[in-house]
Amino acid sequence: MKRGRRQRKADKQQLTEAEEWAEDVQEPQQAPPAEPDETGWKTSTAQMSGVARLTRVGVWALIVSGPVFGAVALLGSSSPAQGVAKPAAASTPASATGPAGFASLFVAAYLEAGQGTERDLAPYYSGSIVLSAKPGSREATRSTVIASREIQPGYWSITVAADVTAKDADGKARQLGVQYFRVGVQAAGPAAAGGASKSAAAPAGYAATSLPAQVAAPASLKPGTLVYESDRGTSSADPAVETAEGFLSAYLTGSVELDRYTSPGVRLQAISPAPYSAVKLTGVQDDSTSSEQQKVPADGTELHQLVDVDATDQAGNTASLSYALTLKSRAGRWEVASVDDAPAISASSAPPRSASHHR
């Protein structure tokens, strides 16, 4: 009897202690009778209070550690990716078109100007100048820009070649030949206008920094060796020569369709309107090494030609022209595969060599 009262008192004390540790956990007011488990374990009120205590401690641990885990995750997600290169900002190279055109106009105006007409150069050069030449004593019959270099952002060195004609005291014109003039040009505006502004909407403008300086002509060069080492002649009995002659005649006179001479799938157009009425073959060179020129090789064989012709227009004037062609064999005949952009240079050819200077 006493033993039963002591057991109930102990159970009550344990229940009170459990409630202090787990206020939010609903516990039964009385301990259910212990029931034997198949495993031999018994579940008591005191054991349940221990579980509640552990549950509460675990919940608070998660709450406390949550911000720590969040900070770690945030730092991990905000760290820069390793090995990922940032794309470089694309820079637009400055165009020399505007400064070159301005310099060409300036040189033309400079050659025609003279004493008393210095104001004609004001749109190009605002410096104070006094010219000694007689106005109109020189002129550029034609001119072109042959070199341009950006010295610093927005500042250009432009070289203009001008075919100059001069008049003597009697007013008789005399050709002086091609002369070369270098001009310093400052450009305002965006890169497309030759300037250094970052804004594409910035207004463009140009100004020469001095009068033109006459300079020496650039050196003329000897070209490298071409690949056309075999002379085909002009005989139409040679199938390759016959194809070249027929194609160029159709190309320059429009006498027949080009499809008759071209490879399947090749789309070439004759010059329109036709500039010439007749074409005469004057020479054919190619890169063939075979002495059997009358025989067409296996299908797919390529032949590179340099063809010279004399073309006559409707007025009877003759022009000498040269064309680089690529022919391809098919079904026992040669066909034009392309009109090449330029004659082919041997891969082993040395760079151009200086030959002489223009006078």
Side-chain angles (χ1 to χ4, degrees):
M1 195 68 179
K2 292 181 180 180
R3 184 178 181 182
R5 286 197 297 269
R6 287 196 299 268
Q7 181 66 41
R8 286 194 297 271
K9 185 177 180 180
D11 291 345
K12 184 176 180 181
Q13 184 177 356
Q14 291 177 352
L15 178 61
T16 302
E17 182 181 356
E19 288 176 349
E20 291 177 356
W21 284 97
E23 296 176 352
D24 296 333
V25 179
Q26 297 297 326
E27 299 290 348
Q29 298 298 321
Q30 295 181 354
E35 297 180 357
D37 188 69
E38 294 181 355
T39 61
W41 288 90
K42 293 182 179 179
T43 303
S44 67
T45 303
Q47 289 170 338
M48 292 182 65
S49 67
V51 172
R53 181 179 178 182
L54 291 175
T55 302
R56 185 181 181 194
V57 171
V59 169
W60 277 107
L62 289 174
I63 294 174
V64 172
S65 62
V68 177
F69 292 147
V72 172
L74 180 61
L75 292 174
S77 62
S78 61
S79 61
Q82 299 297 322
V84 179
K86 294 183 179 180
S91 58
T92 303
S95 171
T97 302
F102 176 84
S104 184
L105 292 173
F106 180 34
V107 169
Y110 160 77
L111 289 172
E112 294 183 6
Q115 188 176 18
T117 62
E118 289 86 355
R119 292 178 59 89
D120 293 345
L121 302 183
Y124 308 98
Y125 176 60
S126 59
S128 177
I129 55 174
V130 176
L131 300 177
S132 58
K134 182 180 180 180
S137 60
R138 296 182 300 172
E139 67 174 343
T141 54
R142 56 181 177 176
S143 64
T144 188
V145 173
I146 64 166
S148 60
R149 183 171 67 90
E150 191 175 24
I151 300 174
Q152 63 188 53
Y155 188 35
W156 296 81
S157 172
I158 309 294
T159 303
V160 179
D163 198 349
V164 181
T165 299
K167 295 180 179 178
D168 58 20
D170 298 329
K172 185 178 180 179
R174 181 169 62 94
Q175 292 185 346
L176 301 182
V178 179
Q179 297 181 351
Y180 300 84
F181 300 88
R182 185 174 296 152
V183 182
V185 178
Q186 284 185 304
S197 175
K198 301 299 183 182
S199 173
Y206 307 95
T209 54
S210 70
L211 290 176
Q214 188 165 351
V215 295
S220 61
L221 304 176
K222 293 186 65 175
T225 304
L226 301 181
V227 301
Y228 317 101
E229 297 182 355
S230 297
D231 188 356
R232 284 280 201 179
T234 59
S235 174
S236 59
D238 184 336
V241 172
E242 181 184 23
T243 296
E245 183 177 24
F247 171 79
L248 289 176
S249 179
Y251 184 73
L252 296 172
T253 67
S255 55
V256 297
E257 295 295 329
L258 295 182
D259 293 351
R260 178 177 175 180
Y261 301 100
T262 58
S263 299
V266 174
R267 296 289 180 264
L268 295 173
Q269 293 184 343
I271 301 176
S272 181
Y276 302 103
S277 58
V279 172
K280 178 183 178 182
L281 201 69
T282 59
V284 178
Q285 294 175 297
D286 63 30
D287 60 351
S288 172
T289 58
S290 174
S291 59
E292 298 180 2
Q293 298 180 349
Q294 306 300 322
K295 184 179 179 180
V296 178
D299 287 4
T301 302
E302 285 192 350
L303 182 69
H304 301 92
Q305 293 181 327
L306 184 61
V307 185
D308 298 324
V309 297
D310 282 345
T312 305
D313 62 18
Q314 299 291 344
N317 300 313
T318 301
S320 297
L321 306 168
S322 295
Y323 289 88
L325 305 177
T326 295
L327 274 57
K328 185 175 290 187
S329 61
R330 186 180 70 91
R333 64 190 296 259
W334 286 107
E335 297 171 333
V336 175
S338 66
V339 177
D340 302 333
D341 294 334
I345 296 177
S346 174
S348 61
S349 175
R353 301 182 303 277
S354 176
S356 61
H357 290 269
H358 296 286
R359 298 296 181 185

